[in-house]
Amino acid sequence: MTRRVSIFGATGSIGANTLGIIREEPEAYRVVALTGGRNIKSLASAAIELNAEIAVTACDDLLESLRDALCGTGVEAAAGEQALIDAAARPADWTMSAIVGFAGLPPGLCALEQGATLALANKESMVAAGPLLIDTARRNGARIIPVDSEHSAIFQALNGEKMQAVERVIITASGGAFRDWPLEALSEATPEQAASHPNWPMGQRITIDSASMFNKALELIEAKEFFGFSSEQIEVLIHRESLVHALVGFRDGALMAHVGPPDMRHAIGYALHHPERSHLPVERLDLAKIGQLNFQSPEPGRYPALVLVREVMAAGGHAGAAFNGSKEAALDGFLEGRIRFTDMARVVEREIENISVDDRAKWTMTLESVREADRVARVRAQETMDALDG
Ligand code: NDP
Ligand code: MG
């Protein structure tokens, strides 16, 4: 039976890996929607090759180019935020959520409303609106399967286990581009330096977030929201080799570790084939050759994001949206050369101080309320950056 699949963020790093897995067995799938942003060439060529129903660019100004590229192929073209949501409303059995940033939330929610299985790479939506996503899935009989490698690892380690038996989870982190830099050099780090990851090839934004560990901070919230763990149950360990992705500790003292190469095709393929395990073209590890695995605790002074996130987890509610919104704005500021690498944490810290003085954490959560929390956080981040500029 062919499965209907849609891929949101098809032109990105996760999107390309997802397309690669689908290409291995194209007759097994019918591609409904493929979406992208500015990369019209790769969006159109994938849509034509896989005979998608529709290709959507997030950018209104690129609709004409997309139409031109798809002219005469029978693939529909559309553009803009609402078009992304409309594409998510088209019936599909499996939808990959791999847009980067908060923009992934509305189409992800819409896919869940259709009862689709949502393969969730877009961690920002779980961070900003975890309770809303989980509730929407529950109400519509939909499933969310994590694609973030650590969360896929936890998901797999929990298979067949009782949640009450879990004592703790350990999420590993490579330490990012600056793990060995002297601390005093971090304030001079450039976006190019931050965007070079020691182990994983990924999109630019998540790679910089790995250097600052904002990525790991987002993943702590993602684990809390997705699995329902408390902040105290979730630990972070630096693991330079990026081969152990996460460990689940049970009350009998056992630790179940997920070990595999740093290759996102594993987590994507697992989410695609779940509950089956199918052949995947990933490297098979030669442990004798690897010889040893190293673990160490992260230094709080190097990674302030890991300290800040604990306050966000304690506040709950819309604090996640505020955290993510200010982080995204601060990252834009760093990429534009407005603020330093080390200022990103200062911008987010200011937002967290605000979370404790207003009542955003307690608002009833809807898509609109989350959008508002995100908007307020971005405005405030601009103000903080203006102050830092000045
Ligand atoms: P990329 O930057 O490589 O790709 C992002 C995708 O989103 C592209 O298709 C891009 O289009 C599209 N896009 C960008 N902005 C918008 C927007 N405003 N609206 C709609 N679409 C947009 O990112 P990654 O593939 O690395 O990451 C995607 C998501 O997966 C992120 O949430 C990330 O945190 C998560 N993730 C990624 C991992 C990885 O290994 N890469 C690992 C774990 C999680 P275009 O390029 O055409 O402009
Ligand atoms: Mg991850």
Side-chain angles (χ1 to χ4, degrees):
M1 197 183 79
T2 55
R3 288 173 80 198
R4 297 165 301 176
V5 299
S6 287
I7 303 168
F8 286 75
T11 54
S13 164
I14 293 285
N17 278 315
T18 310
L19 289 170
I21 294 176
I22 300 242
R23 275 192 193 103
E24 297 257 312
E25 219 187 344
E27 65 290 347
Y29 305 99
R30 188 152 72 73
V31 177
V32 179
L34 295 183
T35 86
R38 302 216 70 82
N39 193 343
I40 297 299
K41 206 171 152 207
S42 100
L43 175 61
S45 79
I48 295 166
E49 177 202 341
L50 295 169
N51 195 21
E53 273 177 28
I54 186 166
V56 185
T57 163
C59 311
D60 292 293
D61 58 317
L62 295 177
L63 179 58
E64 278 316 306
S65 331
L66 183 61
R67 279 205 179 119
D68 290 348
L70 294 173
C71 185
T73 64
V75 181
E76 291 172 57
E81 206 192 317
Q82 186 56 46
L84 288 173
I85 298 172
D86 295 343
R90 293 189 179 216
D93 302 303
W94 187 88
T95 297
M96 167 55 78
S97 168
I99 288 174
V100 64
F102 185 83
L105 176 62
L109 275 175
C110 182
L112 289 174
E113 280 161 9
Q114 314 312 312
T117 292
L118 189 71
L120 189 75
N122 176 255
K123 65 190 82 184
E124 297 89 341
S125 52
M126 189 56 78
V127 169
L132 186 60
L133 279 174
I134 303 276
D135 186 54
T136 306
R138 193 185 45 74
R139 280 189 291 103
N140 294 285
R143 283 211 74 165
I144 308 175
I145 303 187
V147 171
D148 212 348
S149 57
E150 299 76 2
H151 304 73
S152 174
I154 296 169
F155 191 81
Q156 294 179 52
L158 285 173
N159 209 351
E161 303 286 354
K162 295 202 171 67
M163 287 303 278
Q164 307 90 284
V166 176
E167 219 166 48
R168 60 176 177 153
V169 291
I170 303 169
I171 289 178
T172 60
S174 69
F178 305 141
R179 62 190 182 189
D180 298 321
W181 278 38
L183 282 185
E184 56 282 8
L186 291 182
S187 66
E188 301 304 326
T190 65
E192 292 69 34
Q193 289 166 326
S196 109
H197 198 279
N199 302 337
W200 296 88
M202 305 186 284
Q204 181 199 43
R205 296 180 74 90
I206 183 175
T207 306
I208 299 176
D209 284 348
S210 296
S212 63
M213 284 268 206
F214 269 110
N215 179 49
K216 213 47 56 180
L218 296 179
E219 290 180 359
L220 292 184
I221 304 177
E222 186 185 8
K224 171 177 176 275
E225 298 296 344
F226 193 93
F227 299 103
F229 299 131
S230 68
S231 175
E232 296 70 32
Q233 283 178 295
I234 313 172
E235 303 167 23
V236 177
L237 266 187
I238 303 243
H239 167 49
R240 304 179 76 88
E241 296 84 4
S242 294
L243 298 175
V244 177
H245 305 304
L247 305 96
V248 178
F250 293 92
R251 63 182 171 201
D252 59 359
L255 270 177
M256 300 294 284
H258 182 283
V259 187
D263 184 337
M264 287 308 295
R265 288 177 301 175
H266 172 74
I268 296 166
Y270 183 82
L272 181 63
H273 300 303
H274 179 80
E276 305 297 328
R277 282 192 186 268
S278 291
H279 172 86
L280 288 172
V282 300
E283 181 196 343
R284 272 43 178 175
L285 293 181
D286 180 342
L287 291 176
K289 206 159 148 197
I290 291 160
Q292 58 175 335
L293 300 173
N294 294 282
F295 300 94
Q296 70 194 83
S297 295
E299 303 160 64
R302 186 177 295 276
Y303 303 116
L306 291 183
V307 180
L308 295 171
V309 71
R310 296 293 175 177
E311 288 182 52
V312 179
M313 292 166 90
H318 291 75
F323 182 69
N324 182 66
S326 63
K327 192 282 297 175
E328 287 196 35
L331 177 55
D332 289 337
F334 174 59
L335 286 168
E336 289 156 12
R338 277 182 71 192
I339 59 168
R340 292 166 184 265
F341 180 77
T342 41
D343 287 336
M344 290 193 284
R346 295 170 69 190
V347 172
V348 175
E349 185 176 16
R350 177 63 57 83
E351 179 59 16
I352 291 170
E353 286 162 10
N354 280 306
I355 293 172
S356 49
V357 296
D358 65 26
D359 62 354
R360 259 178 301 163
K362 302 188 200 79
W363 293 349
T364 304
M365 191 176 279
T366 61
L367 177 57
E368 290 65 41
S369 73
V370 177
R371 277 190 201 275
E372 179 60 8
D374 174 76
R375 188 192 65 78
V376 171
R378 287 170 197 261
V379 169
R380 200 126 49 191
Q382 294 304 331
E383 289 165 6
T384 309
M385 288 192 280
D386 288 343
L388 287 169
D389 269 351

